Amino acid sequence: MIRIVFYCPEIPPNTGNAIRLAAVTGCELHLVEPLGFDLSDAKLRRAGLDYHDLANVTVHSNLAAAWHALAPDRIFAFSSKGTTTFTDVAYRNDDILLFGPESVGLPDEVLYSPRVTAALRIPMLPSRRSLNLANSASIAVYETWRQQGFAGS
């Protein structure tokens, strides 16, 4: 299944919701430090409900460590600066869906890194800043899973 990477997430309930997403879809969730919270945070636990034991979650000390562990062929960075709509990609099972911190998104050095295959955007109305991180990850994961015929469901 697809692998989600949250680069320096800041808000515990977003990561809790992503843990729940990973549990119900079978995708992997990878968190890149520094995290803006402790993984035992009550808000994170509450948002993830009782799905923590059902989700595949890995924490990496930095982005280089994540790339070393994941050995990705393709990395799709999600950003309002993206030039390709996320539905225009034919996803593969081992792709990485990369999302940045809630307050600022992915820094340019990550978004425009040579490791990134493409910067993708989720369409929204003009003059809107961004979608919620967990909602964005859900939209992207379900599109990739839809393209794979909802395998395993």
Side-chain angles (χ1 to χ4, degrees):
M1 183 59 176
I2 294 295
R3 300 170 291 174
I4 307 167
V5 174
F6 279 5
Y7 176 77
C8 305
E10 302 166 326
I11 301 173
N14 281 330
T15 298
N17 286 325
I19 289 169
R20 191 171 181 176
L21 174 68
V24 302
T25 62
C27 67
E28 297 175 8
L29 176 61
H30 295 266
L31 306 174
V32 177
E33 294 179 323
L35 309 180
F37 50 85
D38 186 289
L39 283 174
S40 64
D41 186 289
K43 291 176 186 168
L44 180 141
R45 307 250 356 131
R46 190 176 313 113
L49 293 174
D50 56 352
Y51 290 89
H52 294 268
D53 295 339
L54 301 173
N56 184 346
V57 181
T58 305
V59 178
H60 303 276
S61 59
N62 55 52
L63 201 52
W67 296 157
H68 178 75
L70 295 167
D73 284 332
R74 301 192 321 167
I75 300 168
F76 294 103
F78 283 74
S79 171
S80 59
K81 299 175 186 175
T83 55
T84 302
T85 302
F86 79 106
T87 54
D88 291 341
V89 173
Y91 295 98
R92 298 191 309 229
N93 199 39
D94 61 345
D95 287 341
I96 298 286
L97 308 178
L98 174 63
F99 298 87
E102 293 89 338
S103 64
V104 295
L106 289 167
D108 285 349
E109 65 270 13
V110 174
L111 182 61
Y112 301 115
S113 163
R115 304 257 353 215
V116 171
T117 305
L120 306 181
R121 65 181 180 81
I122 298 172
M124 57 186 164
L125 294 174
S127 74
R128 304 314 196 266
R129 192 170 64 88
S130 66
L131 282 166
N132 170 277
L133 175 61
N135 291 343
S136 296
S138 295
I139 289 167
V141 165
Y142 270 88
E143 173 60 16
T144 62
W145 201 22
R146 181 195 67 78
Q147 288 184 17
Q148 296 168 5
F150 298 108
S153 67

